[in-house]
Amino acid sequence: MLNTPLTDVDHVARPMVAIGTDYSPGTLLDFHTHRRAQFLYGMTGVMEVNTDDGTWMVPPYSGVWLPAGKRHQVRMNGVSTRSLYIEPHVAPRASCSCEVLVVTPLLHHLLLASAHIPALYDESGRDGALAQLLLYELQQAQALPLFAPLPHDPQLASLCRDFLGQPHIHSLPEDWARQLHRSQRTFNRLFRQQTGMSFAVWRQQACLMAAIPKLLSGSSVTRTALELGYDSPAAFSSMFRKVLGQSPTAFVQAANRQEEE
């Protein structure tokens, strides 16, 4: 089903409903929720997903898992999507938080085919088998660390949002502590309590999330690294490879191949 409103088919008595939708660049889907869990896959472009917990950056050949009832906002940057809406009792992911998941070549082609599954599909036929395989592949999908949780403390959250808009790898925790009128030790403890990770790890995540859309839009590794404050392209590439398992160049090449399929 292509460009079909979820409200038209949400009531259908099937474990999964698959919808394909095209979005123009810059489209913003404001905060909303779904009764069903959702797996949102952007076949092209980059998605930015915001929830009350934080921000996820979702590059091509990956998708975001949204648990049932999770309030979320999505900014689409030239994205063509496939969405699977899944009844909560058959949800293949146990996490109650959002996750960015790797879309393997097999899952990619299954998601392409999902747009042709009717809402009221034959559960004992080919479409039913396809739906079951989609759920299994989602269960097995690898999660990517592309998340920057937002703290609940209003002042700290404001600093985090400003940083996400213009991240720099050498932003210093003592500067943040000074702006909050706290000691560095108190700041470090507060930051970990509020986000579940150290400031250094969170800062790296934010820089990585900013790097991906830059690279996919054609920015060179050198330019991206310098814009984010890295001392050298090699230092940036080392971080990228450590977190995502491949170099920035290989990452972009894989994304381009996926879009050509």
Side-chain angles (χ1 to χ4, degrees), residues 48-109:
E48 178 184 317
V49 180
N50 296 294
T51 73
D52 296 327
D53 303 319
T55 299
W56 281 258
M57 188 63 66
V58 189
Y61 78 92
S62 48
V64 63
W65 171 257
L66 297 158
K70 173 64 73 172
R71 183 173 176 268
H72 61 283
Q73 176 195 67
V74 186
R75 185 176 298 279
M76 307 287 190
N77 295 312
V79 180
S80 179
T81 69
R82 294 290 185 270
S83 279
L84 305 179
Y85 297 96
I86 302 164
E87 289 286 358
H89 70 278
V90 296
R93 308 291 298 188
S95 174
C96 60
S97 300
C98 299
E99 297 178 286
V100 174
L101 305 179
V102 174
V103 173
T104 63
L106 172 58
L107 183 53
H108 168 77
H109 287 290

Side-chain angles (χ1 to χ4, degrees), residues 186-199:
T186 300
F187 169 78
N188 289 341
R189 184 170 61 249
L190 173 68
F191 198 93
R192 186 178 289 277
Q193 287 174 345
Q194 292 275 314
T195 67
M197 59 180 65
S198 70
F199 176 79

Side-chain angles (χ1 to χ4, degrees), residues 4-252:
T4 301
L6 175 61
T7 52
D8 290 356
V9 293
D10 190 28
H11 65 281
V12 173
R14 290 294 182 271
M16 186 196 79
V17 172
I19 298 175
T21 310
D22 298 319
Y23 296 97
S24 58
T27 297
L28 177 67
L29 304 180
D30 210 351
F31 279 101
H32 61 286
T33 62
H34 303 299
R35 181 184 66 80
R36 297 174 183 246
Q38 180 185 11
F39 180 67
L40 177 61
Y41 174 50
M43 297 185 298
T44 61
V46 176
M47 296 182 293
E48 178 184 317
V49 180
N50 296 294
T51 73
D52 296 327
D53 303 319
T55 299
W56 281 258
M57 188 63 66
V58 189
Y61 78 92
S62 48
V64 63
W65 171 257
L66 297 158
K70 173 64 73 172
R71 183 173 176 268
H72 61 283
Q73 176 195 67
V74 186
R75 185 176 298 279
M76 307 287 190
N77 295 312
V79 180
S80 179
T81 69
R82 294 290 185 270
S83 279
L84 305 179
Y85 297 96
I86 302 164
E87 289 286 358
H89 70 278
V90 296
R93 308 291 298 188
S95 174
C96 60
S97 300
C98 299
E99 297 178 286
V100 174
L101 305 179
V102 174
V103 173
T104 63
L106 172 58
L107 183 53
H108 168 77
H109 287 290
L110 290 171
L111 287 161
L112 285 179
S114 72
H116 304 290
I117 299 177
L120 199 62
Y121 58 84
D122 179 2
E123 294 185 86
S124 61
R126 178 182 180 275
D127 290 333
L130 181 57
Q132 287 298 316
L133 185 54
L134 278 161
L135 294 176
Y136 182 81
E137 289 300 306
L138 282 181
Q139 183 184 49
Q140 298 298 310
Q142 175 190 352
L144 289 174
L146 297 177
F147 173 52
L150 290 177
H152 296 294
D153 180 89
Q155 290 179 304
L156 182 56
S158 178
L159 291 180
C160 288
R161 289 192 179 94
D162 289 344
F163 185 83
L164 287 170
Q166 196 170 3
H168 194 282
I169 195 61
H170 290 309
S171 181
L172 298 175
E174 50 263 40
D175 292 337
W176 288 51
R178 192 177 305 113
Q179 292 182 70
L180 295 174
H181 306 290
R182 297 172 184 264
S183 69
Q184 186 173 340
R185 183 176 179 179
T186 300
F187 169 78
N188 289 341
R189 184 170 61 249
L190 173 68
F191 198 93
R192 186 178 289 277
Q193 287 174 345
Q194 292 275 314
T195 67
M197 59 180 65
S198 70
F199 176 79
V201 171
W202 188 93
R203 179 183 60 191
Q204 178 180 279
Q205 291 289 91
C207 287
L208 180 60
M209 288 166 54
I212 286 174
K214 292 176 183 289
L215 293 167
L216 294 175
S217 65
S219 179
S220 68
V221 173
T222 298
R223 180 177 179 180
T224 300
L226 295 179
E227 286 180 350
L228 293 172
Y230 282 86
D231 296 330
S232 68
F236 168 73
S237 296
S238 177
M239 177 279 297
F240 197 101
R241 187 181 294 107
K242 181 179 180 181
V243 176
L244 293 183
Q246 56 187 326
S247 70
T249 299
F251 180 90
V252 172

